[in-house]
Amino acid sequence: MMKLKLIIPVADTPATRKANNGIPHALRVLNPGTEVSVGFLRRGFEALNTITRVGYNSPEIAEEAMLAEAEGADGIFINCFADPAVDMVRELVHVPVFGGFRPSMMAALGCGRHFSVIIPGREDPAGTLLLAKVIENNPECRDSIVCQDFTNLDVLELHDREALLDRLADFAEQSGRVHGCDCLILGCTAMAYIADDLRAELALRGCGITVVEPLSTGLKMLETFVTLQLNNSTAHLVHNEMNQRIR
């Protein structure tokens, strides 16, 4: 049986549990023999919508990832579109590690050429800077992302189905019509629950844009990497990083 660890990279609170209610929806894409254990951080911020928050929560994410590998996880998914601590964790474990951004981009590159991305929040310089940093870390995707915008709902408000569905559908239509986008990437794993409803609504509107949802996409890609025995490479490391810690 394959064992995957899904790390929710925020503190465990009633608000963050509600925001992650869509996880069972995403798990449906996995094979019946794949077991997924889910865990929150012991401390940290409730939402990772700034560079500061990502940096603060990253050590806890790394600790949870190393523990997951030690307990037998075959792959690790860090449940956030911004890929928090993904590169750090890849230097600390050998099993494959993904967040939401890279799998979404790889999937979109297989479906189209021009992408729109919608992230939580309102017109917010901090959120814009965070997305810019993630894109900067993945330069192969920079030219494909031609349109970006906000949901007008913060991360912990994304459970408002009616408001979110209307906003996503309107943005999808606009990005296709005005910017020629053929893929819409949902820029938060907390939107997993609404992806099928969005696809149905776009079909009713006659909008053929492809919707890429990062949680289900990332988990399925992680499962595929484990199946293909594509472990996280440590060939670029001179030594085991954790052996160098001052205790």
Side-chain angles (χ1 to χ4, degrees):
M1 176 180 289
M2 185 187 301
K3 296 182 179 180
L4 304 181
K5 179 68 176 186
L6 195 160
I7 298 174
I8 303 177
V10 293
D12 186 359
T13 70
T16 56
R17 284 189 172 268
K18 189 172 186 177
N20 285 280
N21 280 341
I23 289 175
H25 182 94
L27 295 180
R28 296 182 303 173
V29 305
L30 299 177
N31 296 328
T34 298
E35 177 184 294
V36 180
S37 61
V38 181
F40 286 82
L41 303 187
R42 289 164 294 189
R43 65 188 183 93
F45 286 98
E46 287 185 306
L48 300 184
N49 53 355
T50 68
I51 293 173
T52 296
R53 292 183 177 197
V54 169
Y56 185 89
N57 283 23
S58 287
E60 285 281 328
I61 298 169
E63 291 287 347
E64 289 297 316
M66 288 186 291
L67 178 61
E69 183 182 47
E71 292 177 343
D74 299 303
I76 296 168
F77 185 79
I78 300 172
N79 190 31
C80 179
F81 182 70
D83 284 0
V86 166
D87 289 331
M88 177 194 297
V89 172
R90 285 179 171 177
E91 291 191 351
L92 301 172
V93 304
H94 189 49
V95 299
V97 181
F98 283 115
F101 185 86
R102 286 175 185 154
S104 296
M105 292 300 155
M106 286 189 279
L109 286 167
C111 298
R113 298 171 58 189
H114 300 118
F115 315 148
S116 56
V117 178
I118 188 164
I119 61 175
R122 295 158 179 84
E123 192 63 40
D124 176 11
T128 301
L129 180 59
L130 177 58
L131 179 58
K133 287 291 184 182
V134 177
I135 295 172
E136 181 182 322
N137 199 35
N138 298 272
E140 66 277 8
C141 304
R142 184 185 300 118
D143 294 340
S144 296
I145 299 174
V146 299
C147 181
Q148 304 171 29
D149 210 339
F150 294 89
T151 59
N152 298 325
L153 297 165
D154 291 330
V155 174
L156 300 180
E157 299 174 329
L158 292 175
H159 55 79
D160 187 337
R161 179 185 292 268
E162 184 175 349
L164 180 59
L165 183 59
D166 286 345
R167 175 70 183 115
L168 294 178
D170 289 347
F171 176 67
E173 281 193 308
Q174 180 187 30
S175 65
R177 183 178 64 253
V178 177
H179 300 281
C181 295
D182 39 36
C183 287
L184 167 65
I185 299 170
L186 304 183
C188 182
T189 55
M191 298 188 216
Y193 79 96
I194 208 167
D196 287 346
D197 290 344
L198 175 59
R199 294 182 183 114
E201 175 63 24
L202 292 175
L204 288 174
R205 298 187 184 197
C207 178
I209 196 168
T210 296
V211 176
V212 178
E213 188 282 300
L215 177 53
S216 57
T217 302
L219 284 170
K220 192 64 181 180
M221 193 166 293
L222 179 64
E223 181 185 58
T224 301
F225 268 52
V226 174
T227 300
L228 296 174
Q229 301 183 53
L230 297 175
N231 289 338
N232 176 43
S233 174
T234 55
H236 63 291
L237 298 180
V238 177
H239 46 62
N240 187 317
E241 288 293 316
M242 297 313 293
N243 290 341
Q244 311 305 313
R245 288 187 297 177
I246 298 174
R247 301 178 184 273

